[in-house]
Structures are given as structure tokens and as C-alpha cells.
Amino acid sequence: MKTVITYGTFDLFHIGHLNLLKRAKELGDYLIVAVSSDAFNRVKGKICCIPDYERMEIVEAIKYVDKVIPENSWEQKVDDIKKYNVDVFVMGDDWRGKFDDLKKYCEVVYLPRTEGISTTQIKDELKS
Ligand code: C2G
């Protein structure tokens, strides 16, 4: 069984997130998604509209997703890869190169982002 993992905030869930999860699942048989906690988002300097337990529940309901875990720190990725015997680490290519150190532990894949949609864009449009 080929295990894939990806990490994200998934605030105001949108088609860019869904495309990423769909394509991540196509790279293996079992997809784990680490959803960032509100506390970790404060570390990332991100304020979420949707609380972490709701963002996790929404991601858990996506048919491509097999397991959801909390993302509480930048450093947990190596432990997660070992703990879940991960074969492939996937992120959107806005992160290209940032996680290449994980190549020691598993395959690292950066997928093209979905153009024209982002949580920030949705927030801005709601404001205007
Ligand atoms: N994404 C995408 N296309 C978009 C928007 C997002 O492919 N239009 C991808 C991102 O590249 C990321 C995933 O969807 O792989 C989740 O995006 P965010 O929720 O914005 O996640 P981020 O804040 O980048 O957190 O440790 C890693 C971080 O937790 C990633």
C-alpha cells in the first residue's frame, strides 16, 4: 500500500484544495492530510476564518482523504513520515523546494497550484 501525506490550512475550503487532494490521492492508495491547528496557524502568521476542528471535519469528509491528523509544528513532518510509513510527501508548488530535505525519507512531489483561487482572494472579495 502506497501512503501519501500532505499538509495545509484548508481555510474556506475551495476547488484549489480539492484539486490538490484529488491529485495527491492519485499518487498512491492511502492519503493522510495534516490540517494546521489554530495555534500553529498563529505561528505561521495566518488568521483562519474557520476553526481547526471544523477545517479537519470538512477535510475528513472529502472522498479522497483516508486519515486526518493535526499539524501542530513545522518539525513534525519527519516524525509523521516515519510513524505512518509515508511513501510520498505532496505539496502545491508554491512550496517548491521548501521540503526537499524530506527526500531522505520519501518521495517529494510538488503539484501545480490551481490558478485563480486562494483563501486570501476569497477573503478580499468578501471584504469589497
Ligand atoms: N493549493 C493549491 N491551489 C490553490 C490553493 C492552494 O494547489 N489555488 C494547495 C497549496 O499549495 C497546499 C494546499 O493546497 O499544498 C493547502 O493550501 P493552504 O491551506 O493554503 O496551506 P498552507 O497555508 O500553504 O499550509 O506545513 C505546510 C503548511 O501547513 C501548508
Side-chain angles (χ1 to χ4, degrees):
M1 181 176 79
K2 198 167 183 186
T3 300
V4 183
I5 197 166
T6 191
Y7 292 74
T9 306
F10 300 102
D11 192 25
L12 299 178
F13 196 88
H14 55 66
I15 190 66
H17 297 140
L18 187 65
N19 288 338
L20 189 284
L21 296 177
K22 179 174 188 287
R23 286 152 57 215
K25 181 59 177 281
E26 287 165 359
L27 295 172
D29 313 290
Y30 188 86
L31 175 61
I32 302 170
V33 185
V35 178
S36 46
S37 64
D38 291 340
F40 180 50
N41 275 316
R42 279 191 287 280
V43 168
K44 284 200 279 186
K46 274 194 160 189
I47 305 287
C48 278
C49 301
I50 312 292
D52 48 21
Y53 53 91
E54 288 182 14
R55 290 185 280 109
M56 291 179 84
E57 195 171 338
I58 290 166
V59 171
E60 219 153 32
I62 304 290
K63 68 180 180 181
Y64 308 118
V65 177
D66 297 290
K67 182 180 185 62
V68 170
I69 61 174
E71 180 184 27
N72 299 305
S73 74
W74 290 113
E75 299 77 25
Q76 73 180 70
K77 294 183 176 69
V78 175
D79 294 339
D80 292 342
I81 287 165
K82 291 176 180 171
K83 179 177 178 182
Y84 298 107
N85 299 312
V86 168
D87 300 289
V88 188
F89 169 91
V90 178
M91 287 303 290
D93 63 5
D94 47 314
W95 293 94
R96 181 173 296 286
K98 299 285 190 309
F99 299 112
D100 287 356
D101 57 310
L102 299 176
K103 287 181 176 175
K104 290 195 282 289
Y105 308 101
C106 63
E107 199 183 334
V108 173
V109 175
Y110 299 103
L111 296 172
R113 278 174 71 90
T114 301
E115 293 309 318
I117 184 80
S118 71
T119 304
T120 309
Q121 182 185 317
I122 295 169
K123 285 182 190 173
D124 294 347
E125 282 167 17
L126 287 174
K127 278 183 206 139
S128 58

